[in-house]
Structure formats: structure tokens, C-alpha cells
């Protein structure tokens, strides 16, 4: 059940993903504008709003990056439209510039910034704690403490933002974003928008003379925000005792169950804390009355612990404060971690839950994520590895290009058998790093490998930089015409918008030419022969001319292609291996490494294709050196060929 | 028992999120609280996927730790083994018998399926092995493997879910022939579970 199914309903219960509950809360609050750049674990918030945008009259867009998304929603809120922008934790780094300024200006309607953090780094390059942004930028940070309150808390965030005329960060973590929960639906509100802009340059033009005045006001405002948060309805002091446990954000849910498991729920006082920045001092003072010691349970950084310690010092209290010393810094909260910390804090015995078996047998092989069967990156990587291996054989492996990767499924080129990636740092980092290697490494050229969506997001300024400063950089744009890793959101290469309207395609090759790149080519990577030829030529061009070149490897994401083929009422073509012809060389399953192809058995190395996994892309048929792989129905192959090409 | 903890596992792309969502909705239909913590993003690209499903009267934490699962349901044999540490001492394991190998050169065929089954049998009294992939393939859609295992899980969890609601929702997945195969796969899974006289949690 998604938002689409619940949208007409004003009451009743629905099973929603945490992110969908946020979206539903925003709708019940009267949201008018929602923007985002997709990023796990934030994506489904705006994705589900997009599904219902047309029905409800909400403006929803996939922006090209988080900075633009932020600015769009922020501007709307200064013009009286209730707005939301959502991004993953590292996305807020991209939007940090307007974030800090937005605290100085404030807003006129409710403006909620959803920061979806990813403790344990399930799908991220770092584990940053964005509650710290709130402290740094003077923006209140509010977190759900249970899954079932997510929707109503979101609604409250909008009301609070409107009340204080200030942006609010709603911070979630992966287990809130991606957990399904039963939600009680409430009435849907009409989008709140004014449609008019009132000139107020003293507030919105941040020249130094204005900014100095606004800075002084901001510090004052921060104190009043802190006071107001003490009566925020989602905070609570529960139970009683001489010890206090603070459950901050989702850690509260783990604390409740840990106390239950340990049988001491009635022996301690618990502070359920949803407003983590700034610390609501009056409420915390009340929670600390008559308490001898405190344990703060929170994920990642000691954000609440630091503020609480500072309060204890300011008030001259003599209370023992524990937190990270017992809970630890790394990764997401778990029940055993909460139980361990609470048991130690309370000085009680605790035995880990005993299971059937704690160690895995040696036959359990690793299963890292891999490129899907039919993925258009596979033929490109196969050809690139082949071309580079050949060049290495001619002139030595020490001259192998430096492969600068980026953020997307294509990072998996890191793994065998392709072993390409040397670096993957952040969005757009492939081109940025390539700019640096181009002027600091003499005998190897950098090759930037970047996807379509990432190119639009952060690849264009470093491309201009490479042209302007004349850098020998080869850029390979993997254009699968969709933002794939986050679950297939449209982008400027797709031809449609978030809400399904037809859109102009912003062609990557046109951008490259307009930026002054002289060598630009576009090809279908499934045509292996042509791909190898272009790759070799482009590498030689960059090495010889010492100028940037950009090539676009264009072919649909396999999951999209399969979906399209099925929606056309066609079946995906089935391929089979002719055992008479197959010589068992293993090229298809070892060098091309398609997950749908494997040897027949440990002894018989001839290939076989798994029908559960094959997507019928047919590339294996063209790389087989003896022509042993064939389609069952060649006519069907012809019919689907153009779909794959987009 | 006030709640039940279930791990739903398998290989990314096998339809595990659909399975978990349907079970959670069926639990909701029965009037329980439920949480299903999913794995999104990169892990879905053919990697191991673990969904934590919790059903009960009062549930707070979205995940649980090792040694706390009443039931593990797996759509792939090696992933079933990988999730054994989640099982409580008297936990139940239901798994597809198919091994899916990752496309890492050299791994194919490294596992002796009989050895795996022996390892499981030696440890888990309530073990149910189901040739779910074969069943799905014989029905005409190998991708209906998840529906066979959903059928099995629906019998083990019948005290926690509304099975009538579940049957109705299963028939809404996909269109035409695909939908019909899904429904049949689910029913076959239920028949297999009944014939194995599975434990009902």
C-alpha cells in the first residue's frame, strides 16, 4: 500500500513506509511545494508525493541537485507557500550554503527540510550526523522517537516552522525512512500557498549591513525557540526513579524495549526526546529533578549528551552523565546495544540472547551487490577492461589510466572482474578528482566515470574547469536515462518530469559541446566492437592532444527496459547456450560476469543461462567467441532492440 | 508471546520487499501492530537482503538482534544459512532449496547443497526445505519463487495474520497470466506447508 491508495481517504489505517508517512503528514499539513534530489534513504518522500501531486494540486519536482531543491522550496516558503525539501544526509552538504543563510532570513510559511541520515552506511559513503548542522546553522532539529508518530510529527514540524517563521530540520535515520508502520490517517488539507511575493530586501538581501542585524536577531530568536520547544507535544517525561535515561530520536524506541527485556521499565525515569536541537532546557531541567545519574542513548555523535552536559555545568548540578562511554559511536542502534548500555549503567547482570548458532560455516560465500543482469554498464566495463588490458600489454601496467568513479550503481566497477575504480568520493567527485590527477600525475591520464543524473548534479562545473584549464581528462558518461540506484526517478535525460509531464531532454553531448569539449561521441555499449574502438580512440586523443574528451555510453537501465518491454505486452526474449558449440571457455561468466550465466556444474564448465535471472539483453550472444549463445525467438529480439536503446 | 520476530531474506531482486509488505498488511488486517524494516539502495542489486518483520500488540524497535527471531523465511539457501544467527534457540527456518551464486569468478559450484542441508538439519529442529524455485518454474514463471515462500510463511504465521486478506492481495499482484501464476504459486506454497505439518507460531 502506498500513498496513491490512501490519498482519497480521510480516516482509517494504512501500512506506510516511514517516508510515505512523512509525505502523508505533509499532505495533511497542507503542503504546496515539494522538491528533492533522490538519495537513499530519503527518496520515497518526494517520490510518493509526486504520485499524488496532480490529484491534490501540489507542485512536486525532482531537482537537479540538493542545492537547487533547497533553494526552490526555501524561496517558495518565503513567498508564503508551505514547502518541503528532502535529501539524504550528504545531500545537505551540497545544500549547506543556502541552509545557513535561511536561518538568517527565516521564512513566511512552514518550511521543513527532511534530512535522512544513514547510520551504518547501508547506502552511503559516510555516517555524518546532521543534527550537528542544526547546532551550527541555528535551525531546530526534530526527530521521530517511534515509527507510529512519524506522520503526526511531520505535521507538527510544519506548524512549528510557521509559528516561529523559521526553517525546521526533520531528521530521520534509515530505520525510520525504510520501515513500514501502521498509520492512522487524518483529513487532507488544501495546499497552503499565497501566490504573491512581497518585497522585503532588508530581510532577504544578505549584504553585510543587513546580515549583521539579522545575526543579532537570530541569536535572540534561538533562545525563544528553545523555550518554546519545552512544551513541544512529542517530548515526554515517563515513569519515575532516581535515574534518568534519555532516549533521543529512534533510540527511544530501542530504550523502551531494552527496559522491558531487562524487566526494569518501572524503575527508571525516561525522557522521550524528539526535539534534539536546541535542547529544551526547561523540560530537561524538570526531567533531572531528584536524579542522581543520567544515560543518554543516541546514535552517532553525542549531540544531546554535549548539550545536556553543558546544562548540568551551567546549573551547577552534581549529576553523573553517561552516554557515548557506554553506548558507543559507531553504526545504528540495536536492541542488544541498548540493553548492554542500560544494563551496565544500572549495574545489573545481562546475558546476550542465546540463539541456535553464532558462527557461520565456511561454505557461506560473500554476496556483495553487483550489476544486474542486462545492466548497460557491464558491456561498457567489459570493453574498457579489455581495451586497457591491451594497452597495458603494449606499454606497461604502470601507465594504466586512473579510474575516478562517482556515486551510482556504476561504483560496482570496483569489483572483479572489472577492477576499475581507483577513487569514489562524492557526487561529481569523478570529474573533480580527474582535474587534480591531470596536473599532478605525469604518466597516466584520469578517466572520469559518471552517470547521467550525477553529471547534471555536479559534473558540469568541473567539466568546464577541465576545458578552461585544458586538462587531459577522458569523461565517460554512463547515460541509462534514469536515476537508477535510488529506484528509477526521472532526470533531465529521461524526457518526463516527477509528475509524469513530458519534458525537454537536456542532452549530455550538447552540454559537452557547449562547454567547449572538442571530442564528443555517443554510442550503444551493447555494440562491443564499436565501443572498444571508441574507447581506444578517445584514450589516445586525450593522451596526445592533452585536452578533455567526453563520450556518452547510452543504453537503458535493464530494470527499466524489462518494465517497458512487459508494458508493451511483449515477453523478454529467452536465450540459451548450445551445448554442442560451447567450449566452456568461461568468458561469459568470468570476464563478462553476467549473474544470469554460470557453468553447468563444478566439473562441466560449459555455460548455462538461468531463466529466473536473465533479462534477455542479448549482449552475451555477441561476445561469445564461438557463437554458442542464441535467442529462442529471433523475431522477439528485433522487437525489443529499440527499447533497450531508449 | 506478545510479539513475533521474523527475518525475511534472500537475494536482491527476488521480490522480498513485496513478501514482507504483504505479510505486514495481513498482520494489520488482523488488528496487530507491525513494523517491517526494509533494505533499499545498493543492497538490492543482487546483494543479500534482510527484512525485519515484527508483529504484535505493542512494538517499538524497528529491528531486533541475533538470537531473537522466531522465524526466518528465505528465498535462497545460502542466505538462509547466513541468517541462522538471528534465530532463537527454538526458532523456525523455512527456505527455498535453490542456491544462487554471485557473479564473482570462481565461486560457482563451491557449495555442496547436501552439505548445506545437513548443516541446517543438525542445528534446526523446525526446519522446512521447499523447492520453491522448481515449483515456480513448473508453473511457468521462475520469478514467482517469492510467492511460494509467502504461501509457506502464511501457514506458519497464520495466528498473526489475516490469511483471507492475504490471499486477496496476492491475486492483485501483476496482470493476466503473471497474476494467475502468482496466485497458484502462493497456493502451492500453502499446500506444501500444510503437508509438511509446519509449526504454527
Amino acid at each position: 500500500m502506498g500513498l496513491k491508495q490512501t490519498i482519497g481517504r480521510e480516516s482509517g489505517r494504512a501500512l506506510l513506509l516511514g517516508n510515505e508517512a512523512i509525505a502523508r503528514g505533509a499532505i495533511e499539513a497542507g503542503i504546496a511545494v515539494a522538491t528533492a534530489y533522490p538519495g537513499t534513504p530519503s527518496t520515497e518522500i518526494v517520490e510518493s508525493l509526486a504520485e499524488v501531486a496532480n490529484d491534490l494540486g501540489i507542485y512536486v519536482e525532482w531537482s537537479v541537485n540538493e542545492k537547487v531543491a533547497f533553494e526552490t522550496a526555501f524561496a517558495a516558503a518565503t513567498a508564503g507557500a508551505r514547502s518541503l525539501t528532502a535529501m539524504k544526509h550528504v545531500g545537505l552538504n551540497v545544500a549547506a550554503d543556502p541552509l545557513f543563510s535561511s536561518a538568517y532570513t527565516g521564512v513566511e510559511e512552514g518550511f521543513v527540510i527532511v534530512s535522512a541520515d544513514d547510520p551504518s552506511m547501508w547506502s552511503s559513503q559516510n555516517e555524518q550526523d546532521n543534527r550537528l548542522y542544526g547546532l551550527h546553522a541555528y535551525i531546530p532539529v526534530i526527530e521521530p522517537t517511534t515509527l507510529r508518530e512519524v506522520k503526526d510529527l511531520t505535521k507538527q514540524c510544519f506548524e512549528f516552522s510557521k509559528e516561529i517563521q523559521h526553517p525546521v530540520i526533520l531528521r530521520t535515520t534509515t530505520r525510520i525512512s525504510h520501515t513500514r508502520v501502521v498509520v492512522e490517517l487524518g483529513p487532507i488539507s488544501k495546499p497552503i500557498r499565497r501566490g504573491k511575493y512581497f518585497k522585503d530586501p532588508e530581510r532577504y538581501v544578505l549584504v553585510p549591513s543587513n546580515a549583521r542585524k539579522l545575526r543579532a536577531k537570530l541569536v535572540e530568536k534561538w533562545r525563544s525557540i528553545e523555550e518554546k520547544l519545552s512544551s513541544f507535544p512529542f517530548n515526554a517525561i515517563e515513569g519515575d526513579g532516581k535515574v534518568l535515561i534519555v532516549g533521543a530520536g529512534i533510540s527511544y524506541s530501542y530504550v523502551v524495549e531494552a527496559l522491558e527485556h531487562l524487566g526494569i521499565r518501572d524503575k527508571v525515569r525516561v525522557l522521550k526526546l524528539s526535539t534534539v536541537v536546541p535542547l529544551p532546557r526547561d523540560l530537561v531541567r524538570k526531567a533531572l529533578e531528584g536524579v542522581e545519574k543520567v544515560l543518554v542513548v543516541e546514535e552517532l555523535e553525542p549531540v544531546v549528551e554535549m548539550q545536556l552536559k553543558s546544562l548540568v555545568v551551567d546549573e551547577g548540578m552534581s549529576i553523573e552523565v553517561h552516554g557515548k562511554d557506554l553506548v558507543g559511536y559507531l553504526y545504528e542502534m540495536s536492541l542488544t546495544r541498548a540493553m548492554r548500555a542500560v544494563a551496565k549503567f544500572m549495574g545489573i547482570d545481562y546475558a546476550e540472547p542465546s540463539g541456535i548458532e553464532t558462527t557461520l560455516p565456511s561454505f557461506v560465500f560473500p554476496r556483495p551487490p553487483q550489476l544486474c543482469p542486462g545492466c548497460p554498464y557491464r558491456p561498457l566495463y567489459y570493453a574498457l577492461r579489455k581495451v586497457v588490458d591491451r594497452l597495458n600489454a603494449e606499454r606497461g601496467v604502470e601507465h594504466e589510466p586512473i579510474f575516478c568513479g562517482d556515486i551510482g550503481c556504476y561504483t560496482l566497477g570496483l569489483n572483479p572482474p572489472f577492477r576499475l575504480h581507483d577513487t569514489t568520493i562524492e557526487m561529481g567527485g569523478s570529474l573533480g578528482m580527474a582535474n587534480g590527477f591531470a596536473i599532478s600525475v605525469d604518466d597516466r591520464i584520469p578517466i572520469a566515470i559518471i552517470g547521467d543524473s550525477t553529471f547534471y548534479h555536479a559534473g558540469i562545473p568541473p567539466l568546464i574547469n577541465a576545458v578552461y584549464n585544458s586538462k587531459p581528462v577522458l569523461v565517460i558518461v554512463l547515460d541509462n536515462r534514469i536515476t537508477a540506484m535510488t529506484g528509477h526517478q526521472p532526470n533531465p535525460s529521461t524526457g518526463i518530469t516527477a509528475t509524469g509531464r513530458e519534458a525537454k531532454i537536456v542532452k549530455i553531448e550538447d552540454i559537452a559541446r557547449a562547454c567547449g569539449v572538442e571530442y564528443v561521441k555517443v554510442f550503444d555499449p551493447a555494440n562491443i566492437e564499436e565501443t572498444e574502438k571508441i574507447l581506444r580512440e578517445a584514450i589516445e586523443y586525450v593522451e596526445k592532444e592533452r585536452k578533455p574528451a567526453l563520450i556518452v555510453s547510452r543504453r537503458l537501465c535493464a530494470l527499466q527496459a524489462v518494465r517497458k518491454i512487459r508494458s508493451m505486452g511483449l515477453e523478454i526474449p529467452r536465450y540459451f547456450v548450445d551445448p554442442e558449440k560451447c567450449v566452456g571457455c568461461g568468458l561469459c561468466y568470468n570476464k563478462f560476469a553476467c549473474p544470469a550465466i554460470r557453468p553447468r556444474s563444478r566439473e562441466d564448465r560449459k555455460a548455462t543461462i538461468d531463466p529466473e535471472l536473465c533479462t534477455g539483453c542479448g549482449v552475451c550472444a555477441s561476445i561469445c567467441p564461438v557463437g554458442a549463445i542464441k535467442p529462442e525467438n529471433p523475431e522477439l529480439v528485433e522487437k525489443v532492440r529499440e527499447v533497450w536503446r531508449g | 508471546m506478545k510479539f513475533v520476530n521474523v527475518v525475511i531474506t534472500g537475494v536482491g531482486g527476488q521480490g522480498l520487499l513485496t513478501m514482507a509488505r504483504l505479510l505486514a498488511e495481513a498482520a494489520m488486517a488482523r488488528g496487530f501492530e507491525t513494523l517491517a524494516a526494509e533494505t533499499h539502495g545498493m543492497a538490492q542489486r543482487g546483494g543479500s537482503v534482510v527484512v525485519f518483520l515484527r508483529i504484535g500488540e505493542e512494538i517499538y524497535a524497528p529491528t531486533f538482534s541475533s538470537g531473537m527471531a522466531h522465524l526466518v523465511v528465505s528465498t535462497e539457501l545460502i542466505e538462509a544459512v547466513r541468517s541462522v544467527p538471528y534465530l532463537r534457540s527454538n526458532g523456525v527456518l523455512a527456505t527455498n532449496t535453490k542456491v544462487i551464486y554471485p557473479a564473482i569468478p570462481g565461486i560457482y559450484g563451491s557449495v555442496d547443497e547436501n552439505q548445506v542441508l545437513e548443516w541446517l538439519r543438525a542445528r534446526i529442529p523446525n526446519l522446512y526445505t521447499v523447492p520453491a524455485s522448481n515449483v515456480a518454474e513448473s508453473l511457468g514463471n521462475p520469478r514467482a519463487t517469492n510467492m511460494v515462500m509467502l504461501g509457506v510463511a502464511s501457514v506458519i504465521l497464520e495466528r498473526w495474520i489475516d490469511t483471507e486478506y492475504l490471499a486477496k492481495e496476492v491475486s492483485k499482484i501483476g496482470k493476466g497470466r503473471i497474476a494467475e501464476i502468482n496466485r497458484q504459486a502462493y497456493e502451492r506454497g500453502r499446500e506444501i506447508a500444510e503437508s509438511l505439518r509446519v509449526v504454527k507460531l
Side-chain angles (χ1 to χ4, degrees):
Chain A
M1 194 182 296
L3 221 47
K4 192 96 185 166
Q5 287 75 39
T6 71
I7 211 58
R9 290 163 54 190
E10 301 263 310
S11 64
R13 296 183 314 152
L15 185 78
L16 297 181
L17 206 56
N19 279 342
E20 292 167 350
I22 291 173
R24 175 77 195 199
I27 291 168
E28 292 181 11
I31 192 184
V33 171
T35 64
Y37 179 80
T40 313
S42 73
T43 313
E44 298 81 6
I45 300 168
V46 158
E47 189 168 53
S48 53
L49 284 170
E51 268 186 44
V52 298
N54 295 336
D55 295 341
L56 297 175
I58 305 171
Y59 176 80
V60 179
E61 76 171 31
W62 289 122
S63 312
V64 289
N65 66 30
E66 293 87 353
K67 182 172 177 287
V68 177
F70 188 105
E71 290 156 344
T72 304
F74 167 56
T78 69
R82 196 158 271 208
S83 305
L84 170 147
T85 186
M87 53 201 71
K88 69 182 291 169
H89 58 335
V90 290
L92 199 54
N93 299 340
V94 177
D97 210 348
L99 174 81
F100 281 74
S101 295
S102 71
Y104 278 57
T105 66
V107 288
E108 289 167 45
E109 237 319 322
F111 176 38
V112 173
I113 303 148
V114 185
S115 170
D117 295 9
D118 189 18
S120 289
M121 298 166 274
W122 295 108
S123 201
S124 303
Q125 70 265 36
N126 78 16
E127 198 176 39
Q128 75 185 46
D129 186 336
N130 279 5
R131 296 178 302 170
L132 288 164
Y133 264 122
L135 281 177
H136 197 175
Y138 289 78
I139 295 177
V141 182
I142 299 176
E143 290 188 84
T145 56
T146 67
L147 259 305
R148 70 179 87 88
E149 75 186 18
V150 170
K151 188 209 72 182
D152 290 335
L153 179 74
T154 305
K155 213 175 145 189
Q156 189 67 32
C157 285
F158 279 101
E159 300 306 334
F160 188 63
S161 167
K162 164 77 180 173
E163 182 194 335
I164 60 174
Q165 301 272 295
H166 202 77
V168 164
I169 295 176
L170 171 60
R171 187 245 189 183
T172 65
T173 51
T174 306
R175 298 303 185 180
I176 294 167
S177 312
H178 287 163
T179 296
R180 287 185 187 277
V181 60
V182 179
V183 174
E184 290 286 343
L185 304 174
I188 289 167
S189 299
K190 233 180 90 195
I192 297 167
R193 68 192 296 278
R194 193 166 70 199
K196 296 205 180 329
Y197 187 73
F198 304 133
K199 197 174 173 77
D200 190 359
E202 282 181 15
R203 182 170 177 189
Y204 294 113
V205 181
L206 293 178
V207 289
S209 58
N210 287 340
R212 282 187 201 110
K213 285 180 213 144
L214 291 167
R215 160 78 177 149
K217 274 193 190 167
L218 176 58
V219 172
E220 227 173 89
K221 196 180 190 184
W222 194 239
R223 294 285 157 247
S224 82
I225 288 173
E226 184 209 290
E227 268 169 40
K228 285 193 170 84
L229 287 173
S230 276
S231 55
F232 194 79
F234 290 80
N235 294 329
I237 299 168
E238 297 169 345
D240 210 358
K242 286 212 170 327
V243 293
L244 174 72
I245 298 181
V246 180
I250 193 63
S251 295
Y252 165 80
S253 281
Y254 286 92
V255 165
V256 170
E257 285 205 28
L259 293 173
E260 196 69 40
H261 275 276
L262 296 168
I264 52 168
R265 199 167 167 188
D266 55 345
K267 292 194 175 57
V268 296
R269 192 183 292 175
V270 173
L271 174 59
K272 169 181 184 287
L273 188 63
S274 180
T275 63
V276 288
V277 172
L279 197 68
R281 288 196 159 212
D282 290 344
L283 178 75
V284 175
R285 230 178 264 125
K286 212 169 132 201
L288 287 172
E289 266 168 34
V291 160
E292 287 160 5
K293 56 177 188 173
V294 182
L295 172 68
V296 179
V297 184
E298 60 190 320
E299 290 172 320
L300 306 183
E301 309 308 319
V303 175
V304 171
E305 184 185 342
M306 284 190 305
Q307 295 181 84
L308 193 137
K309 278 178 173 164
S310 138
L311 172 92
V312 165
V313 170
D314 289 351
E315 301 282 320
M317 298 172 173
S318 73
I319 296 177
E320 203 180 311
V321 181
H322 293 276
K324 288 293 141 186
D325 56 338
L326 299 180
V327 177
Y329 283 77
L330 304 185
Y331 314 138
E332 67 181 13
M333 190 52 58
S334 73
L335 272 175
T336 44
R337 188 172 159 194
M339 280 194 270
R340 241 177 258 146
V342 170
K344 206 157 181 199
F345 172 68
M346 299 294 289
I348 53 177
D349 285 333
Y350 163 67
E352 298 271 329
S354 64
I356 281 182
E357 180 67 61
T358 51
T359 48
L360 290 183
S362 58
F363 60 72
V364 174
F365 45 70
R367 195 188 302 278
Q370 53 194 5
L371 299 174
C372 303
C375 176
Y377 304 160
R378 179 172 292 103
L380 187 273
Y381 283 166
Y382 169 81
L384 184 56
R385 181 34 76 198
K386 203 167 148 193
V387 166
V388 167
D389 278 350
R390 219 175 284 144
L391 285 170
N392 289 348
E394 288 165 21
R395 56 195 199 183
V397 71
E398 65 275 19
H399 300 297
E400 178 168 299
I402 303 170
F403 298 103
C404 306
D406 225 300
I407 306 291
C409 303
Y410 42 92
T411 309
L412 297 171
L414 165 77
N415 296 330
F418 308 117
R419 295 170 287 103
L420 291 165
H421 288 59
D422 289 292
T423 68
T424 295
I425 309 295
E426 33 69 81
M427 292 290 287
S430 60
L431 262 146
M433 297 294 284
N435 267 276
F437 292 131
I439 45 97
S440 57
V441 177
D442 301 327
D443 55 350
R444 304 170 68 181
I445 61 156
I447 297 184
I449 302 171
I450 185 169
D452 45 344
S453 192
T454 311
F455 179 76
Y456 299 115
H457 177 288
I460 299 169
L463 178 66
I464 296 173
N465 195 63
V467 174
Y468 170 51
N469 292 302
S470 193
K471 307 255 176 92
V473 173
L474 171 58
V475 185
I476 304 176
V477 184
L478 302 170
D479 184 8
N480 62 1
R481 312 212 36 211
I482 201 92
T483 308
M485 193 163 81
T486 46
H488 304 101
Q489 293 74 36
N491 68 42
S493 181
T494 313
I496 54 163
T497 67
T499 50
R501 261 186 305 118
E502 204 177 306
K504 194 170 174 80
I505 294 175
V506 184
K507 284 195 171 167
I508 291 158
E509 57 273 30
D510 293 350
I511 295 174
R513 286 190 197 105
C515 290
V517 181
E518 290 162 31
Y519 185 104
V520 178
K521 290 213 164 146
V522 183
F523 59 96
D524 175 0
N527 187 337
I528 295 277
E529 226 171 281
E530 188 200 12
T531 302
E532 285 176 23
K533 204 179 121 246
I534 290 175
L535 284 170
R536 179 153 190 146
E537 190 184 277
I539 291 171
E540 284 168 355
Y541 170 88
V542 172
E543 286 178 342
K544 198 163 139 263
E545 303 289 329
R546 311 301 292 171
K547 283 199 275 197
L550 183 143
I551 55 178
V552 182
S553 173
R554 180 170 293 142
R555 187 171 170 84
L556 274 205
C557 169
L559 301 177
Q560 281 297 102
V562 167
R563 234 168 264 165
K564 272 199 182 165
I565 291 164
R566 291 226 170 98
S567 73
M568 290 161 73
L570 297 172
E571 303 239 342
I572 55 171
R574 291 202 174 199
Y575 282 80
F576 69 98
V577 182
D578 181 347
E580 299 297 313
K581 282 196 166 174
C582 180
V583 292
C585 70
L587 188 81
C588 52
Y589 53 77
N590 281 336
K591 298 271 187 206
F592 187 62
C594 177
I597 315 177
R598 53 184 167 81
R600 294 164 78 91
S601 71
R602 210 171 162 75
E603 295 73 36
D604 184 355
R605 309 308 286 171
K606 286 184 183 180
T608 173
I609 295 174
D610 185 338
E612 188 176 343
L613 301 175
C614 179
T615 58
C617 78
V619 180
C620 55
S622 68
I623 62 153
C624 177
V626 294
I629 305 179
K630 295 170 194 161
E632 276 175 13
N633 182 346
E635 269 172 46
L636 199 53
V637 173
E638 278 312 308
K639 280 188 193 156
V640 304
R641 192 185 303 276
E642 287 312 307
V643 178
W644 281 93
R645 292 212 169 131
Chain B
M1 191 156 71
K2 276 162 51 194
F3 57 86
V4 65
N5 291 336
V6 184
V7 165
I8 295 167
T9 187
V11 179
Q14 283 192 302
L16 297 154
L17 300 191
T18 305
M19 263 174 90
R21 177 175 60 79
L22 289 170
L23 285 170
E25 282 181 7
M28 178 179 78
R30 179 106 185 210
F32 284 111
E33 251 195 31
T34 179
L35 294 177
E38 304 177 347
T39 311
H40 289 218
M42 214 176 214
Q44 280 178 290
R45 305 287 174 263
S48 297
V49 168
V50 171
V51 184
F52 297 92
L53 172 67
R54 310 191 68 204
I55 304 170
E57 277 152 22
E58 197 189 19
I59 307 266
Y60 283 87
T63 64
F64 48 84
S65 304
S66 299
M68 292 186 174
H70 301 90
L71 168 67
V72 169
V73 182
S74 180
T75 51
E76 197 272 348
L77 189 60
I78 294 298
E79 293 313 310
V81 177
R82 206 189 304 280
S83 276
V84 166
Y86 283 117
L87 276 179
R88 292 155 57 103
S89 47
N90 58 346
V92 179
L93 176 69
T95 179
N96 181 15
T97 48
K98 179 171 172 171
V99 176
I100 297 176
Y101 289 94
I104 301 172
I107 287 192
Y108 185 77
S110 63
V111 169
D112 173 354
E113 283 162 42
N114 288 324
Q115 187 198 341
V116 179
L117 291 172
E118 237 165 74
W119 187 91
L120 288 171
R121 272 188 214 113
R123 282 162 183 78
I124 303 163
N126 298 317
L127 171 72
Y128 309 112
T129 56
V130 180
S133 290
N134 296 347
V135 171
E137 227 164 292
S138 69
L139 291 171
N141 183 10
R143 284 164 197 262
T145 302
N146 61 337
M147 290 296 130
V148 180
M149 291 313 298
L150 179 67
V152 174
S154 74
V155 177
I156 299 171
L157 289 170
E158 70 178 27
R159 296 200 177 112
W160 297 92
I161 58 173
D162 181 338
T163 44
E164 269 174 45
Y165 173 91
L166 184 58
K168 225 169 52 206
E169 290 302 307
V170 164
S171 65
K172 291 183 195 160
I173 297 174
K175 284 179 225 157
R177 200 179 73 95
I178 300 278
E180 178 51 25
I181 292 175
N182 278 336
R183 195 192 60 74
Q184 287 174 10
Y186 170 75
E187 288 303 333
R188 282 289 295 133
R190 287 188 59 85
E191 286 163 24
I192 292 168
E194 294 291 3
S195 71
L196 289 171
R197 295 173 190 280
V198 295
V199 169
K200 292 175 184 176
L201 292 171

